[in-house]
Amino acid sequence: MPDVQSEGFVGKLVSGMIRRTVVSRFRTVYWTPPATVPAQCIFVATHHGWHDGYLMFQVVNALGRRSLDWIQEYHAFPSFGKVGGMPFPAHQPAIRAATVKKTIRLMRDEGRSLILFGEGILHRGPDIWSVGRSLEVVAKQVPEAAILPIAIRYDMSIHERPEAFITVGEPVIRGENLLVTIQEELARLWQQSLGAVSAVGDEISPEYEVLVRGTLDVNERFDRKKRTE
């Protein structure tokens, strides 16, 4: 997979850490790749899991879209600035406003895309919370950027490690009720992802492809080892 996010040596180290983490923490990450990828995007994703940012890192790299990502706890991970991370701390409106302003400038001047967890706060699913107004601000200032809703769902059931299902929607047409439209589309995509896997076994719906091949279950690893001996 290409790496469009890394800046310099530190960026490559962070990218490698993210990739290794996803491979070690998940059995498989599936997604529905879009048929066509707009030149510039605002990726609006659900935020139900700690690994959401890591998975979106995989998505934008796979799509070849160098992207920015607002991080609430950026102070704890400043090196993430070398892979597109930007500070967006809670209860510090001046810093958040500066980040929005810089984001708009980079999107205009460098054609960057943006990863935006529209609900604003990491929370337990399956409910989709209201989308914040920051999306409207960026969308208005960068009208050429397509808005792509993305639902991320985790399944921890028949395997040792969780599986992730990333459902990428079609670009949303801007309108007066943009935030409500995005919220409804995220909910629809999340429901759609429920049909990605059968109740028994590993039959995956054909529209889902493997984005990241992770770590097999311990019994699967032992079986594979025995077959090669």
Side-chain angles (χ1 to χ4, degrees), residues 111-183:
R112 302 270 196 110
S113 292
L114 173 65
I115 298 168
L116 183 63
F117 296 105
E119 299 162 279
I121 299 174
L122 176 63
H123 67 97
R124 298 182 188 277
D127 293 341
I128 308 298
W129 292 2
S130 299
V131 177
R133 301 193 67 83
S134 295
L135 171 60
E136 280 188 327
V137 174
V138 177
K140 182 178 181 180
Q141 295 298 320
V142 192
E144 60 272 24
I147 303 173
L148 266 67
I150 298 179
I152 304 173
R153 185 176 65 83
Y154 300 92
D155 180 80
M156 183 67 193
S157 54
I158 67 172
H159 290 291
E160 179 183 1
R161 289 169 176 79
E163 297 173 289
F165 297 87
I166 303 172
T167 309
V168 183
E170 296 292 329
V172 172
I173 298 175
R174 289 166 167 78
E176 293 183 1
N177 298 315
L178 175 62
L179 301 184
V180 174
T181 300
I182 289 290
Q183 182 182 8

Side-chain angles (χ1 to χ4, degrees), residues 16-30:
M17 182 274 293
I18 292 173
R19 294 175 190 273
R20 289 191 299 274
T21 299
V22 173
V23 169
S24 66
R25 298 291 193 272
F26 292 89
R27 182 182 183 273
T28 313
V29 177
Y30 299 96

Side-chain angles (χ1 to χ4, degrees), residues 103-116:
T103 296
I104 292 170
R105 177 175 61 80
L106 290 173
M107 293 182 74
R108 287 175 170 175
D109 295 348
E110 299 183 8
R112 302 270 196 110
S113 292
L114 173 65
I115 298 168
L116 183 63

Side-chain angles (χ1 to χ4, degrees), residues 70 87-89 92-104 134:
W70 299 349
F88 207 70
Q92 297 190 49
I95 296 178
R96 292 164 73 102
T99 289
V100 172
K101 184 177 180 180
K102 184 177 180 180
T103 296
I104 292 170
S134 295

Side-chain angles (χ1 to χ4, degrees), residues 26-229:
F26 292 89
R27 182 182 183 273
T28 313
V29 177
Y30 299 96
W31 74 322
T32 58
T36 58
V37 186
Q40 187 178 40
C41 304
I42 302 174
F43 301 101
V44 186
T46 55
H47 204 11
H48 295 156
W50 191 94
H51 287 96
D52 288 344
Y54 285 22
L55 296 185
M56 286 304 300
F57 174 89
Q58 301 285 346
V59 168
V60 298
N61 267 322
L63 296 177
R65 295 296 178 264
R66 189 181 180 197
S67 301
L68 304 166
D69 182 9
W70 299 349
I71 302 175
Q72 183 170 313
E73 298 181 349
Y74 180 86
H75 62 280
F77 310 98
S79 58
F80 276 51
K82 296 300 183 180
V83 291
M86 302 180 73
F88 207 70
H91 314 301
Q92 297 190 49
I95 296 178
R96 292 164 73 102
T99 289
V100 172
K101 184 177 180 180
K102 184 177 180 180
T103 296
I104 292 170
R105 177 175 61 80
L106 290 173
M107 293 182 74
R108 287 175 170 175
D109 295 348
E110 299 183 8
R112 302 270 196 110
S113 292
L114 173 65
I115 298 168
L116 183 63
F117 296 105
E119 299 162 279
I121 299 174
L122 176 63
H123 67 97
R124 298 182 188 277
D127 293 341
I128 308 298
W129 292 2
S130 299
V131 177
R133 301 193 67 83
S134 295
L135 171 60
E136 280 188 327
V137 174
V138 177
K140 182 178 181 180
Q141 295 298 320
V142 192
E144 60 272 24
I147 303 173
L148 266 67
I150 298 179
I152 304 173
R153 185 176 65 83
Y154 300 92
D155 180 80
M156 183 67 193
S157 54
I158 67 172
H159 290 291
E160 179 183 1
R161 289 169 176 79
E163 297 173 289
F165 297 87
I166 303 172
T167 309
V168 183
E170 296 292 329
V172 172
I173 298 175
R174 289 166 167 78
E176 293 183 1
N177 298 315
L178 175 62
L179 301 184
V180 174
T181 300
I182 289 290
Q183 182 182 8
E184 292 176 346
E185 185 63 7
L186 290 175
R188 187 190 69 79
L189 292 172
W190 199 93
Q191 288 295 321
Q192 176 182 326
S193 72
L194 293 175
V197 62
S198 63
V200 179
D202 282 318
E203 296 181 10
I204 306 299
S205 182
E207 69 263 29
Y208 286 85
E209 300 179 6
V210 173
L211 176 62
V212 179
R213 185 73 70 184
T215 303
L216 295 175
D217 305 346
V218 62
N219 56 298
E220 293 174 315
R221 298 199 301 275
F222 283 156
D223 287 344
R224 176 173 291 184
K225 182 179 179 180
K226 288 179 180 178
R227 289 196 297 270
T228 58
E229 289 179 348

